[in-house]
Amino acid sequence: MINFRYVEMKNFLSVGDNPLRLDLNRHPTTLVTGRNGSGKSVLVSDSLTFVLFGKSYRGINKPALINTINQRDSVVEIEFTKGNDVYKIIRGQKPARLEIYKNDAALNEEAAVKDTQAYIENDILGFDCNSFIRVCVMSTMNYTPFMQLSAYERRNLVENMLTLKSFSEMSKIHKANVSNLKERISSLQNDLSVRKAAYDEKNRTYNLLQQIDSDRTDSIKSNLKALGEKLEFNEEVVRKLEIQIEEANLQSLNDLVLECKGKIQRIQREIREYEVEISQAEKKVAYFKDHQDCDQCHQSISKESAIESIARYTSVISNHMAAVGSLKSELKVVGDKLDDANVKIAEVKELEQDLSFAKKSSNVIAADIRKKLQELEKPQASSDEAIRIKNEIDEVRGQIKYIATKYEEACAQKDVAAIASELLKDTGIKAGIIKQYIPLLVGYVNHYLEQLNISIKFSMDENFNESITTRYANEYQYQNLSMGERSRLDLALAFAWRQVAKLKGSVYCNILILDEILDAGLDINGTEDALSILEEVCQDTSVFIISHKANLDEKVRSVIRLEKINGFTKIL
């Protein structure tokens, strides 16, 4: 079980530089109240999802979570226990921070933020943000009740709650393996076809070689050898050209050209800016040489002031001209580098042309070889060549036998994989597990509906198709229920899922947040019924109720009143 102790924040949304700390396990029920915009959701919901998952519960962009007045040093810290270990997570912005401590020892200091977040969710908490929100946060904002989820969303939720995502991951891996297996079978089939075709071709060649004249065969062999050497030489040329082209790294040269062009544009722009300022300074010098009054206020100025202004602008001209000279030198260096890169690019283009010509030559030589091989099919083959072909036939026969064995093994694996695919489908193992938990969920829902004093019965099958009936056996759709009835059903489902998650151990922690959920669609009796359920559902749990309803103070153990003073959230 995750036992949250406290969360502390500063410069986070409406919380200023003076840190606010919220004890998360002091009281079983706490009412958080205050005017709209006083920071109730900031203190409870947004702070928890940000420090644990790097996200705002209300979907606020991360940069916007920094306090807009102080605009820096935004930090949220949380401490909790898991088993005998004490964890602390500190997450902040400006500067960015993500630190994890286990029993006061820092963890994963050099890991990337993405890896660290995965470590938090998978190895420490055991659940992700969506699961945490679904079980621990009930709100009128950014919270879609189970009954309003699509079938796909319901399945995702159920798999998360029942920790069935591993089966989905296994299914993805298995599908990839099956795809690879199919490719392997196809590849083996192609290899068999190629080997059999080669076997048939060599048999034909062997039979023809027995009838080829030995002298003519020797001549053809000589020609074939020469062509083979020529082809080998040509292929070596192709290989060397490909190596030269690869080593030239045309992409890096093109990147260098773009970089140089960008630098040239920047330098030219800076030169133009300096030249404009030089021209303006020269006009100032000329003006003060010819005038005895200020060019802006037109008041008379002393000769000493004029001389001082001329000296100042002359210094500006001198400094800017020096800067222009330096920039022109830099421009020449960059220009030379650009010219050199263009020359190298041109050289690569020439190599590519040579490569294309060499490949075409290889194709011509290969065609000549094929023609000579066709001539070998004529009568009078030499005995030596016949023996060589016979050996090749034996070798190919062995290859065919080996590939055929591998093909049979792959087909057997495919049959086994088909069985595994059926087990990993939504209708397989997962369906069996879901089918076991659905009656438990439905039982909890109906139990809480009864405690909420609503006369309906809820049922759902393993495909998440629900049925709602009244005491008179009339069947209703969710949309036909009144807002109050919907609210009660939504609460019953939420409480039921929390109990299932607790039993399953998927999301088991000591926090439940009701963010204005009691204000939406519940009358006084409904609110009291919901509060009474909390005593049963939330044993060993701290419940934070954010509400504007009156007369809730006496129904909770603790009250936190918030007020925004001078733009900052304060606890009164």
Side-chain angles (χ1 to χ4, degrees), residues 322-351:
V324 168
S326 176
L327 287 171
K328 287 183 177 179
S329 297
E330 184 183 353
L331 182 62
K332 184 178 184 308
V333 171
V334 177
D336 292 341
K337 188 181 292 186
L338 177 62
D339 292 339
D340 182 62
N342 284 326
V343 168
K344 290 181 179 178
I345 289 173
E347 292 174 353
V348 173
K349 296 295 184 183
E350 291 181 4
L351 289 174

Side-chain angles (χ1 to χ4, degrees), residues 476-487:
Y476 278 80
Q477 297 293 323
Y478 178 75
Q479 291 75 12
N480 298 132
L481 300 176
S482 69
M483 290 302 297
E485 289 172 326
R486 291 188 195 181
S487 296

Side-chain angles (χ1 to χ4, degrees), residues 285 288-289 291-294 299-314:
V285 171
F288 283 112
K289 284 182 178 180
H291 298 78
Q292 296 180 352
D293 61 328
C294 178
Q299 293 182 359
S300 175
I301 60 176
S302 65
K303 184 176 182 181
E304 288 77 10
S305 296
I307 292 172
E308 181 183 347
S309 297
I310 291 170
R312 185 172 68 255
Y313 285 115
T314 301

Side-chain angles (χ1 to χ4, degrees), residues 7-10 15 18-22 43 569-571:
V7 62
E8 183 175 292
M9 67 214 75
K10 70 174 182 176
V15 177
N18 294 322
L20 289 187
R21 172 180 286 214
L22 178 63
L43 185 68
T569 295
K570 302 292 183 182
I571 298 178

